[in-house]
Amino acid sequence: MEDKRYKILLVEDDRLDQMAFKRLVKEENLPYDYTIAGSVAQATQILGGEKFDLVFVDYLLGDGTAFDVLESIVDTAAVFATGTGSEELAVKAMKSGASDYLIKDPSRNYLKVLPEVVKNAIRHKKAEDELKQYHEKLVELVKERTEQLAEEKEVLAVTLSSMGDAVIAVDAQNQITLFNKTAEQLTGWRFEEVRGKPVDDIIRIVNEQTKQPANSPIDGVLESREIESGSDHDALIARTGRECPISATAAPIRRNDGAMTGIVMVLRDVSQQREIDRMKSDFISSVSHELRTPLTSIKAYAETMLDDPNMPQSTKQEFLQIINEESDRLTNLINGILDISKIESGTIEIIRKPINIASVAKRAAESLEYVAGKNKVRLQTDIADHLPELLGDENKIFSMITNLINNAIKFTPENGTVSVSAHLVNNELVIKVSDTGMGIPKDDMAKIFSRFYRVHRPGKQIQGTGLGLAIVKEIVTRHDGRIDVESEIDKGSTFTVYLPACSREAATLTP
Ligand code: ADP
């Protein structure tokens, strides 16, 4: 540090003072490389082209004052010199950027302290520069972090608003601090309306079965200070009073030091899962029932025959006929379950060959004539001749049509009629199965093609598994077709299947 030489600009118009400065440097052997400017103009010019470690400037100059010089000094230490009695001026100079000041006395004693003042001013300037740089860096860092935080906040906000789950956060007082879009949709409240409100006033969870208030997982977290889940039977009561099955989980929000500052709760609408669960358990009970009924009857008839070896031939024949039919029912049921599991696993196989839809439809109707007769239902057909062929799986199409006819017979009371027709309309094969039966309630229409779905018909014992129409729909879709249903309660239903007809050439070309 002591070895370093300083580049100094002396701005002084008094020749005696200039000489005194030069003498001082020489006598004291000061490490200064100096330049002398005798006026403001000269100083400004020099400062425009050169950089100095320090500018030592006298207050009164021939063509101006030290303030004019200070104006053209950037990033350089400056020491201001003035005559006795002008301390005020000196303070003003410091405010304008000078690092220090010296009060000139007539006997030039001030020169004694000059070297120390210069050294300090340069050191002070250096420290100031470093501080300035550090400050600038800090500002830059704060700016960057703020931008980063804003970005993260934005990402978080977008994520929260696009989440399919409702997210609700509360503070230490259990008052709502966050409420995302899904929470708004699920509860019917808007964030503006619930912000700062006690969460218990807004989120009402009940037991789906008993309808009694259920323990909120938020209360659980308040007690345990750990993640808590609600029960499997939780339902949320929305603002409108609508009930929605939910799965609820809550977790503590902790600061870095571990202190709990709030709780976040996630609610998921599980109506679909609960509906599927309900359908599955309905299915299991109806399948067990369906399996048990034919089995019980097969066993009963077989036992009666075994117990009575002398049974007349005609009775034996009748019993065997029943056993045979019941076995068919069992086979159908088991095939249905197998088909459905193939549909679920996506492995249902369609073997495409050109098929004669008219003969398949006729065969399907014929196969059910016996059942129709037994149910005292008239079964009529109207099947066009010379229909174009269909590229498809004959067994699947046959089972699709028999399923529809079977349903039509099943849901039609005695003396009703079931009609099966097949025509070509607008180059599409249109197969209609209509009945004069009990019809389908409007609310159920959209669901009858879902797996396991059965219309609830109070007071009526109609057997089934809820699989038939799901299989029908899958077969139709896999043949690039579509199915429609029209129905009126106590008047009847019509199921219409549209399948693409294929020309002979296409049929032979397609494997
Ligand atoms: P399942 O017949 O085994 O109950 P499906 O999947 O074949 O199951 O049919 C689903 C529901 O659609 C039935 O429970 C029934 O209520 C209704 N349905 C189907 N076909 C008819 C029809 N032709 N007339 C009235 N209701 C019908």
Side-chain angles (χ1 to χ4, degrees):
M1 183 85 182
E2 296 305 320
D3 296 332
K4 188 179 174 337
R5 296 192 66 80
Y6 297 139
K7 231 180 129 189
I8 293 181
L9 174 67
L10 171 70
V11 191
E12 174 65 81
D13 59 346
D14 184 328
R15 294 196 63 80
L16 288 178
D17 279 336
Q18 287 180 4
M19 280 170 53
F21 178 82
K22 285 185 193 169
R23 201 174 323 119
L24 173 82
V25 174
K26 196 163 178 195
E27 279 171 8
E28 299 285 327
N29 196 20
L30 294 171
Y32 297 171
D33 296 323
Y34 59 83
T35 309
I36 295 176
S39 64
V40 173
Q42 217 180 341
T44 315
Q45 195 191 4
I46 295 171
L47 283 166
E50 245 179 284
K51 198 151 170 38
F52 292 87
D53 293 313
L54 180 124
V55 179
F56 182 39
V57 55
D58 185 29
Y59 173 56
L60 260 186
L61 299 159
D63 55 349
T65 69
F67 290 107
D68 301 321
V69 180
L70 285 175
E71 263 178 30
S72 41
I73 295 176
V74 207
D75 279 344
T76 307
V79 173
F80 174 83
T82 177
T84 34
S86 353
E87 280 84 354
E88 241 175 68
L89 258 185
V91 172
K92 198 174 153 210
M94 297 282 283
K95 284 189 181 150
S96 312
S99 317
D100 207 346
Y101 67 91
L102 279 171
I103 304 293
K104 281 182 173 179
D105 54 314
S107 43
R108 299 205 171 81
N109 277 327
Y110 73 92
L111 285 174
K112 290 195 187 114
V113 292
L114 181 69
E116 201 52 32
V117 168
V118 167
K119 209 156 61 178
N120 281 341
I122 291 176
R123 204 184 287 155
H124 178 244
K125 177 75 191 149
K126 204 170 154 226
E128 207 177 54
D129 285 352
E130 276 171 7
L131 197 71
K132 201 170 138 204
Q133 264 180 22
Y134 174 73
H135 185 243
E136 277 169 5
K137 243 191 225 153
L138 201 71
V139 168
E140 188 58 32
L141 206 73
V142 169
K143 196 175 136 233
E144 252 173 47
R145 281 296 293 144
T146 314
E147 282 168 5
Q148 210 174 326
L149 277 175
E151 215 170 278
E152 280 168 13
K153 216 173 144 196
E154 174 77 18
V155 170
L156 189 69
V158 171
T159 313
L160 279 176
S161 72
S162 54
M163 262 177 83
D165 291 344
V167 181
I168 298 158
V170 297
D171 59 16
Q173 281 72 47
N174 245 6
Q175 288 166 344
I176 296 174
T177 53
L178 187 145
F179 208 73
N180 75 345
K181 273 239 147 47
T182 312
E184 294 188 331
Q185 286 156 1
L186 200 65
T187 60
W189 290 97
R190 275 179 305 135
F191 187 19
E192 303 94 82
E193 297 171 309
V194 302
R195 192 200 290 264
K197 293 244 169 80
V199 70
D200 295 337
D201 291 356
I202 305 298
I203 304 298
R204 286 170 50 219
I205 302 176
V206 297
N207 180 299
E208 205 180 14
Q209 285 148 0
T210 63
K211 311 289 176 208
Q212 291 301 310
N215 285 338
S216 150
I218 288 194
D219 294 337
V221 174
L222 279 175
E223 237 170 71
S224 70
R225 319 228 131 207
E226 281 175 10
I227 295 186
E228 293 286 337
S229 299
S231 93
D232 287 345
H233 303 291
D234 283 346
L236 179 85
I237 307 290
R239 187 182 194 172
T240 54
R242 190 180 77 96
E243 196 183 303
C244 173
I246 49 154
S247 110
T249 308
I253 304 173
R254 294 189 188 282
R255 269 197 324 236
N256 281 349
D257 63 3
M260 195 167 111
T261 55
I263 295 169
V264 62
M265 176 163 72
V266 177
L267 303 178
R268 171 169 295 185
D269 175 350
V270 290
S271 1
Q272 272 187 348
Q273 282 101 306
R274 297 254 172 100
E275 176 72 4
I276 290 170
D277 288 349
R278 192 190 60 73
M279 290 199 307
K280 281 202 169 149
S281 60
D282 280 2
F283 170 69
I284 289 170
S285 58
S286 62
V287 164
S288 346
H289 174 80
E290 287 283 297
L291 287 173
R292 210 175 304 115
T293 320
L295 272 178
T296 315
S297 116
I298 289 171
K299 193 162 168 53
Y301 284 106
E303 274 175 3
T304 317
M305 282 166 72
L306 285 171
D307 287 349
D308 181 6
N310 304 321
M311 184 182 271
Q313 189 56 34
S314 61
T315 319
K316 231 187 231 171
Q317 192 60 34
E318 193 190 326
F319 282 15
L320 282 174
Q321 177 72 30
I322 294 170
I323 290 175
N324 194 33
E325 274 167 27
E326 294 294 348
S327 326
D328 284 349
R329 251 178 84 184
L330 273 180
T331 313
N332 281 342
L333 178 67
I334 289 161
N335 284 343
I337 297 171
L338 285 178
D339 279 350
I340 270 301
S341 66
K342 276 189 201 155
I343 288 172
E344 284 202 328
S345 61
T347 52
I348 187 165
E349 214 184 329
I350 303 288
I351 302 159
R352 284 167 196 272
K353 280 197 187 124
I355 55 174
N356 182 336
I357 190 77
S359 78
V360 177
K362 270 183 205 146
R363 207 152 45 77
E366 276 160 23
S367 77
L368 287 160
E369 252 163 21
Y370 172 75
V371 183
K374 220 173 62 173
N375 283 266
K376 302 204 170 59
V377 168
R378 208 159 76 88
L379 178 59
Q380 60 189 29
T381 55
D382 166 23
I383 292 166
D385 294 325
H386 312 300
L387 284 176
E389 286 178 312
L390 165 75
L391 196 59
D393 189 315
E394 185 156 348
N395 287 338
K396 299 278 184 309
I397 296 290
F398 177 81
S399 110
M400 182 267 286
I401 303 175
T402 46
N403 240 312
L404 292 176
I405 304 175
N406 207 3
N407 274 348
I409 298 172
K410 197 161 73 169
F411 295 102
T412 301
E414 282 186 9
N415 301 321
T417 305
V418 169
S419 318
V420 182
S421 73
H423 290 278
L424 185 72
V425 181
N426 296 333
N427 223 18
E428 274 185 314
L429 293 164
V430 180
I431 301 142
K432 267 189 207 291
V433 178
S434 41
D435 61 61
T436 56
M438 53 185 73
I440 302 160
K442 273 211 161 35
D443 287 350
D444 295 289
M445 291 277 264
K447 302 183 209 153
I448 53 171
F449 294 101
S450 311
R451 275 158 265 178
F452 316 126
Y453 192 83
R454 304 198 67 214
V455 177
H456 182 58
R457 300 195 189 264
K460 293 205 170 76
Q461 286 272 322
I462 303 169
Q463 279 163 353
T465 56
L467 294 181
L469 286 182
I471 297 172
V472 164
K473 173 128 197 214
E474 182 69 15
I475 294 173
V476 172
T477 314
R478 292 292 297 271
H479 282 84
D480 307 317
R482 60 189 198 285
I483 182 162
D484 275 351
V485 54
E486 282 167 59
S487 186
E488 207 176 319
I489 290 291
D490 293 332
K491 288 261 165 63
S493 314
T494 299
F495 286 82
T496 311
V497 175
Y498 302 85
L499 291 167
C502 76
S503 61
R504 193 63 240 176
E505 301 81 68
T508 42
L509 280 175
T510 320

